[in-house]
Amino acid sequence: MPSPAHGRPPYPVRRGPVPGPPGPGGFGHPPHGPHFTQPGSTVRFLPPSPPGRYAPVWQQAPRAARPARPEPDVTTGLHRPHWLTVPLRAAVVALVFLAMPGVVLLNFGVLWVLFLTLSVGFAAGAYSLLSWWNTTFGLNGDHLVVHTGLVRRLSREIPLSRLQAVDVVRPLLMQVLGLAELRVELAGGDQGEIRLRYLGRRTADRLRASLLAHAAGLSGRTPEAPEWPFYRLRFGLLLGALAFRIPVLAAFVLFLLLTVAGFAFVEPGVLGGMVPLLLGLMRSFLGPLLRYTDFYASLSPDGLRLRYGVFQARMQTVPPGRVQAVRIVEPLLWRSLGVVRVEANVAGYVGERQMDSSTLLPVVPRRLAFSLVDELFPGTDATRVALHPARRGLSRNDALGVDDSVVVTRSGLFCTVIDIVPHARTQTVRLTAGPLARRRGVAAVEVDTPPGPVRARAAGRDLAEARRVVDGLAQRGHDSRSSTAGPERWATRSAPQDR
């Protein structure tokens, strides 16, 4: 849809092939749209059959179309969360009371417990109603304004230029009720997160699109940006990759041995080892399996979009320029499968939220992982960076490579880790050498980025080489930051100027 102010599409139009070929290992279905055929496919047109009662559906007279529901307007005025938030909070408080203090009060009689539970539920409902009424949000220019609090009033006005990521989270109950939680990540550490719970599904999607449009420098009424499929993770590949890991296999075999020993010798003491192993398997295998089921990644002008989860459906949108560094992890047993895991340092995510949202692609073919790196850091080609092995490292797999765009480090013997950091995203560059390392004449080069799993470190370099690398990285980082604009209002800044 052309922009009335500039006469051009509000988002840049993507040209060229879609990354990742269709079929196994690429995206799992064709791009969105009513007309799409694979190259070389044959389209056959059937002769029309006589009109009548038994004519095919596509040849029957169309029924009167229902009027489309208008999109909720979140760009003007103040809005409140969905009204279902009030009974939901009251029900949660009542259930918690019934499950904890209510059990103790059963000695006084069931009717007494029910009376107290209803009283607590009504009190929680009244408080939730007042809290809901005093919770408002809205857009004021390029700022998101949020008012919360009943006794202590809190008003926050956040410039959307600080927006780092927008997530729409829908637990299973919220999916049934048609609700969603909107999480807005901002540059500000632990205090830089805003949660709006709970909104209607359409309201959450519309608000997410408006926030991303404002962050890009466009109008909040700009339609949602299109997307192009990049990768869809098959459930069989996810199941096999999560199970085909040394810690999981070792824990499973040990669990089976303890189970057999417990039944054979009638020894209940094996439960002391079986329970921790079972909990570990649930955390390292069952948890990621449920979390990343139905995983789908797509590329859009407003950033990288990730959808995943069954019991807690989540849509994560990372705007352009917010990914600071990328890590490609390849466990030993995954090398035979040709798959890796892609993690990233995303600005705005800190602490537990960083670890919860740092995985961009849980299981992906190796070539598509590097394709994503090229998409996240335009103008780079990490596969062409020459890696020089460490001369005196503990592992022959350790290596370092530098080109005009990125610095790449490789480490690990049983689990290969490749860290990729663009020069424009480096914050500090350090040369470290302990007493023993100085006697051996070696040092390590470390590149610091915002918090996250990526720790670019090249050990076992000669002192003279390490000094040259540190000086070169510092100069390249300065030059890259001088010639690269920030991620704020990227759409209007990168758009061609009208003449």
Side-chain angles (χ1 to χ4, degrees):
M1 180 179 296
S3 173
H6 302 284
R8 57 175 180 267
Y11 289 99
V13 179
R14 187 182 184 89
R15 296 178 173 84
V18 178
F27 50 81
H29 53 79
H32 298 295
H35 307 291
F36 180 84
T37 56
Q38 297 289 350
S41 60
T42 303
V43 180
R44 298 181 180 179
F45 297 92
L46 298 177
S49 34
R53 180 179 178 182
Y54 300 101
V57 175
W58 59 84
Q59 294 181 9
Q60 294 179 9
R63 298 180 180 179
R66 295 182 179 180
R69 296 176 59 186
E71 288 285 340
D73 186 10
V74 296
T75 59
T76 57
L78 293 177
H79 307 268
R80 290 184 175 87
H82 199 277
W83 63 269
L84 280 175
T85 305
V86 178
L88 278 175
R89 290 179 176 175
V92 169
V93 173
L95 290 176
V96 171
F97 174 82
L98 185 61
M100 299 179 64
V103 177
V104 180
L105 296 176
L106 281 176
N107 298 327
F108 297 93
V110 177
L111 294 179
W112 181 252
V113 173
L114 291 178
F115 174 74
L116 289 179
T117 302
L118 291 176
S119 301
V120 171
F122 279 117
Y127 180 84
S128 300
L129 179 61
L130 295 175
S131 178
W132 170 83
W133 183 260
N134 284 274
T135 301
T136 57
F137 64 91
L139 294 175
N140 182 13
D142 288 339
H143 291 71
L144 174 64
V145 182
V146 181
H147 304 287
T148 57
L150 180 59
V151 179
R152 181 183 179 185
R153 192 68 172 168
L154 176 62
S155 299
R156 301 180 65 181
E157 185 169 350
I158 304 99
L160 295 178
S161 59
R162 296 174 53 210
L163 186 145
Q164 305 292 343
V166 182
D167 299 346
V168 177
V169 181
R170 303 179 65 213
L172 184 60
L173 180 60
M174 300 302 105
Q175 298 179 45
V176 175
L177 298 177
L179 302 180
E181 176 186 354
L182 188 72
R183 299 179 183 177
V184 183
E185 299 287 347
L186 305 169
D190 291 331
Q191 304 299 324
E193 183 189 32
I194 296 178
R195 292 191 176 190
L196 298 177
R197 58 169 71 147
Y198 290 98
L199 311 178
R201 172 66 187 275
R202 299 173 70 245
T203 302
D205 291 340
R206 182 61 253 176
L207 182 58
R208 179 191 61 84
S210 298
L211 295 179
L212 291 172
H214 274 292
L218 303 172
S219 169
R221 298 179 181 271
T222 303
E224 184 176 5
E227 64 181 40
W228 296 270
F230 180 78
Y231 177 67
R232 188 163 195 169
L233 177 57
R234 295 170 295 169
F235 180 78
L237 179 60
L238 175 63
L239 180 66
L242 292 178
F244 204 52
R245 293 182 296 171
I246 293 179
V248 173
L249 292 177
F252 182 72
V253 171
L254 186 56
F255 179 81
L256 290 181
L257 291 177
L258 290 177
T259 303
V260 173
F263 279 104
F265 299 99
V266 194
E267 176 57 54
V270 297
L271 292 175
M274 293 174 58
V275 173
L277 287 174
L278 183 60
L279 295 177
L281 286 173
M282 293 178 61
R283 180 178 181 181
S284 60
F285 176 74
L286 187 59
L289 181 65
L290 297 177
R291 176 181 177 85
Y292 294 114
T293 296
D294 198 21
F295 184 91
Y296 173 67
S298 60
L299 299 175
S300 174
D302 60 13
L304 175 66
R305 295 179 182 176
L306 306 176
R307 297 181 179 90
Y308 52 87
V310 176
F311 295 102
Q312 180 170 294
R314 181 170 183 173
M315 179 180 178
Q316 179 181 358
T317 304
V318 183
R322 304 301 182 179
V323 176
Q324 309 297 307
V326 173
R327 163 172 288 188
I328 298 177
V329 183
E330 186 178 24
L332 178 63
L333 299 182
W334 284 17
R335 298 175 191 176
S336 59
L337 302 177
V339 296
V340 296
R341 182 175 70 251
V342 180
E343 302 173 348
N345 291 2
V346 181
Y349 290 127
V350 294
E352 184 179 353
R353 303 200 308 272
Q354 172 63 255
M355 303 309 298
D356 187 55
S357 305
S358 61
T359 301
L360 299 184
L361 300 176
V363 182
V364 62
R366 199 172 189 273
R367 57 182 181 83
L368 280 183
F370 284 97
S371 297
L372 179 63
V373 174
D374 298 340
E375 291 288 337
L376 296 175
F377 306 136
T380 65
D381 190 353
T383 59
R384 296 183 178 274
V385 178
L387 297 179
H388 305 280
R391 298 182 180 180
R392 304 182 186 180
L394 299 178
S395 172
R396 295 183 179 180
N397 201 35
D398 295 347
L400 169 68
V402 181
D403 68 355
D404 294 335
S405 302
V406 295
V407 52
V408 181
T409 63
R410 185 183 65 196
S411 60
L413 181 60
F414 297 101
C415 182
T416 303
V417 176
I418 299 177
D419 294 326
I420 304 170
V421 182
H423 296 308
R425 301 290 187 266
T426 59
Q427 293 189 339
T428 58
V429 183
R430 300 197 307 269
L431 185 150
T432 59
L436 297 179
R438 288 197 300 269
R439 293 195 60 178
R440 295 172 54 207
V442 297
V445 177
E446 300 180 1
V447 180
D448 292 334
T449 61
V454 180
R455 295 286 188 270
R457 185 177 186 273
R461 321 305 300 191
D462 288 339
L463 280 175
E465 177 196 3
R467 291 192 181 94
R468 291 195 303 268
V469 171
V470 168
D471 294 339
L473 291 178
Q475 184 61 40
R476 290 175 188 270
H478 178 270
D479 297 340
S480 298
R481 286 187 292 271
S482 301
S483 59
T484 303
E488 297 80 10
R489 297 177 176 84
W490 55 268
T492 55
R493 186 184 62 245
S494 61
Q497 299 295 328
D498 295 330
R499 296 181 181 179

PDB file of all heavy atoms in Angstrom, residues 38-49:
ATOM      1  N   GLN A  38       5.394 -23.384  -7.698  1.00  0.00           N
ATOM      2  CA  GLN A  38       6.817 -23.655  -7.763  1.00  0.00           C
ATOM      3  C   GLN A  38       7.288 -23.592  -9.204  1.00  0.00           C
ATOM      4  O   GLN A  38       6.530 -23.915 -10.131  1.00  0.00           O
ATOM      5  CB  GLN A  38       7.105 -25.044  -7.188  1.00  0.00           C
ATOM      6  CG  GLN A  38       6.745 -25.170  -5.716  1.00  0.00           C
ATOM      7  CD  GLN A  38       7.704 -24.398  -4.854  1.00  0.00           C
ATOM      8  OE1 GLN A  38       8.728 -23.936  -5.351  1.00  0.00           O
ATOM      9  NE2 GLN A  38       7.385 -24.239  -3.589  1.00  0.00           N
ATOM     10  N   PRO A  39       8.534 -23.174  -9.441  1.00  0.00           N
ATOM     11  CA  PRO A  39       9.051 -23.148 -10.810  1.00  0.00           C
ATOM     12  C   PRO A  39       8.994 -24.537 -11.426  1.00  0.00           C
ATOM     13  O   PRO A  39       9.365 -25.535 -10.817  1.00  0.00           O
ATOM     14  CB  PRO A  39      10.495 -22.663 -10.633  1.00  0.00           C
ATOM     15  CG  PRO A  39      10.508 -21.963  -9.323  1.00  0.00           C
ATOM     16  CD  PRO A  39       9.491 -22.655  -8.468  1.00  0.00           C
ATOM     17  N   GLY A  40       8.503 -24.588 -12.655  1.00  0.00           N
ATOM     18  CA  GLY A  40       8.437 -25.852 -13.368  1.00  0.00           C
ATOM     19  C   GLY A  40       7.171 -26.639 -13.120  1.00  0.00           C
ATOM     20  O   GLY A  40       6.972 -27.707 -13.682  1.00  0.00           O
ATOM     21  N   SER A  41       6.291 -26.141 -12.228  1.00  0.00           N
ATOM     22  CA  SER A  41       5.057 -26.870 -11.963  1.00  0.00           C
ATOM     23  C   SER A  41       4.058 -26.626 -13.076  1.00  0.00           C
ATOM     24  O   SER A  41       4.117 -25.629 -13.793  1.00  0.00           O
ATOM     25  CB  SER A  41       4.471 -26.428 -10.620  1.00  0.00           C
ATOM     26  OG  SER A  41       4.197 -25.044 -10.656  1.00  0.00           O
ATOM     27  N   THR A  42       3.127 -27.543 -13.258  1.00  0.00           N
ATOM     28  CA  THR A  42       2.137 -27.476 -14.316  1.00  0.00           C
ATOM     29  C   THR A  42       0.776 -27.201 -13.711  1.00  0.00           C
ATOM     30  O   THR A  42       0.355 -27.883 -12.779  1.00  0.00           O
ATOM     31  CB  THR A  42       2.087 -28.792 -15.109  1.00  0.00           C
ATOM     32  OG1 THR A  42       3.387 -29.052 -15.620  1.00  0.00           O
ATOM     33  CG2 THR A  42       1.084 -28.696 -16.255  1.00  0.00           C
ATOM     34  N   VAL A  43       0.097 -26.214 -14.216  1.00  0.00           N
ATOM     35  CA  VAL A  43      -1.224 -25.853 -13.746  1.00  0.00           C
ATOM     36  C   VAL A  43      -2.230 -26.294 -14.790  1.00  0.00           C
ATOM     37  O   VAL A  43      -2.132 -25.907 -15.953  1.00  0.00           O
ATOM     38  CB  VAL A  43      -1.345 -24.330 -13.495  1.00  0.00           C
ATOM     39  CG1 VAL A  43      -2.734 -23.982 -12.995  1.00  0.00           C
ATOM     40  CG2 VAL A  43      -0.289 -23.888 -12.511  1.00  0.00           C
ATOM     41  N   ARG A  44      -3.174 -27.119 -14.421  1.00  0.00           N
ATOM     42  CA  ARG A  44      -4.182 -27.624 -15.344  1.00  0.00           C
ATOM     43  C   ARG A  44      -5.519 -26.972 -15.020  1.00  0.00           C
ATOM     44  O   ARG A  44      -5.919 -26.880 -13.872  1.00  0.00           O
ATOM     45  CB  ARG A  44      -4.313 -29.146 -15.221  1.00  0.00           C
ATOM     46  CG  ARG A  44      -3.032 -29.905 -15.572  1.00  0.00           C
ATOM     47  CD  ARG A  44      -3.241 -31.404 -15.449  1.00  0.00           C
ATOM     48  NE  ARG A  44      -2.019 -32.123 -15.792  1.00  0.00           N
ATOM     49  CZ  ARG A  44      -1.911 -33.448 -15.748  1.00  0.00           C
ATOM     50  NH1 ARG A  44      -2.944 -34.198 -15.407  1.00  0.00           N
ATOM     51  NH2 ARG A  44      -0.769 -34.027 -16.079  1.00  0.00           N
ATOM     52  N   PHE A  45      -6.199 -26.550 -16.068  1.00  0.00           N
ATOM     53  CA  PHE A  45      -7.502 -25.926 -15.909  1.00  0.00           C
ATOM     54  C   PHE A  45      -8.556 -26.922 -16.359  1.00  0.00           C
ATOM     55  O   PHE A  45      -8.547 -27.386 -17.501  1.00  0.00           O
ATOM     56  CB  PHE A  45      -7.590 -24.646 -16.742  1.00  0.00           C
ATOM     57  CG  PHE A  45      -6.618 -23.590 -16.303  1.00  0.00           C
ATOM     58  CD1 PHE A  45      -5.364 -23.500 -16.881  1.00  0.00           C
ATOM     59  CD2 PHE A  45      -6.947 -22.713 -15.296  1.00  0.00           C
ATOM     60  CE1 PHE A  45      -4.471 -22.539 -16.475  1.00  0.00           C
ATOM     61  CE2 PHE A  45      -6.059 -21.744 -14.884  1.00  0.00           C
ATOM     62  CZ  PHE A  45      -4.810 -21.649 -15.468  1.00  0.00           C
ATOM     63  N   LEU A  46      -9.468 -27.267 -15.468  1.00  0.00           N
ATOM     64  CA  LEU A  46     -10.530 -28.210 -15.789  1.00  0.00           C
ATOM     65  C   LEU A  46     -11.642 -27.497 -16.538  1.00  0.00           C
ATOM     66  O   LEU A  46     -11.934 -26.324 -16.276  1.00  0.00           O
ATOM     67  CB  LEU A  46     -11.084 -28.820 -14.498  1.00  0.00           C
ATOM     68  CG  LEU A  46     -10.078 -29.627 -13.669  1.00  0.00           C
ATOM     69  CD1 LEU A  46     -10.747 -30.109 -12.394  1.00  0.00           C
ATOM     70  CD2 LEU A  46      -9.528 -30.788 -14.464  1.00  0.00           C
ATOM     71  N   PRO A  47     -12.305 -28.173 -17.465  1.00  0.00           N
ATOM     72  CA  PRO A  47     -13.417 -27.532 -18.168  1.00  0.00           C
ATOM     73  C   PRO A  47     -14.550 -27.251 -17.196  1.00  0.00           C
ATOM     74  O   PRO A  47     -14.808 -28.023 -16.263  1.00  0.00           O
ATOM     75  CB  PRO A  47     -13.810 -28.580 -19.214  1.00  0.00           C
ATOM     76  CG  PRO A  47     -13.330 -29.876 -18.652  1.00  0.00           C
ATOM     77  CD  PRO A  47     -12.087 -29.544 -17.902  1.00  0.00           C
ATOM     78  N   PRO A  48     -15.218 -26.134 -17.390  1.00  0.00           N
ATOM     79  CA  PRO A  48     -16.302 -25.797 -16.464  1.00  0.00           C
ATOM     80  C   PRO A  48     -17.438 -26.787 -16.577  1.00  0.00           C
ATOM     81  O   PRO A  48     -17.788 -27.247 -17.652  1.00  0.00           O
ATOM     82  CB  PRO A  48     -16.715 -24.399 -16.910  1.00  0.00           C
ATOM     83  CG  PRO A  48     -16.305 -24.312 -18.341  1.00  0.00           C
ATOM     84  CD  PRO A  48     -15.076 -25.158 -18.474  1.00  0.00           C
ATOM     85  N   SER A  49     -18.004 -27.179 -15.449  1.00  0.00           N
ATOM     86  CA  SER A  49     -19.155 -28.061 -15.447  1.00  0.00           C
ATOM     87  C   SER A  49     -20.422 -27.230 -15.427  1.00  0.00           C
ATOM     88  O   SER A  49     -20.403 -26.067 -15.048  1.00  0.00           O
ATOM     89  CB  SER A  49     -19.118 -28.981 -14.246  1.00  0.00           C
ATOM     90  OG  SER A  49     -18.564 -28.357 -13.149  1.00  0.00           O
TER      91      SER A  49
END
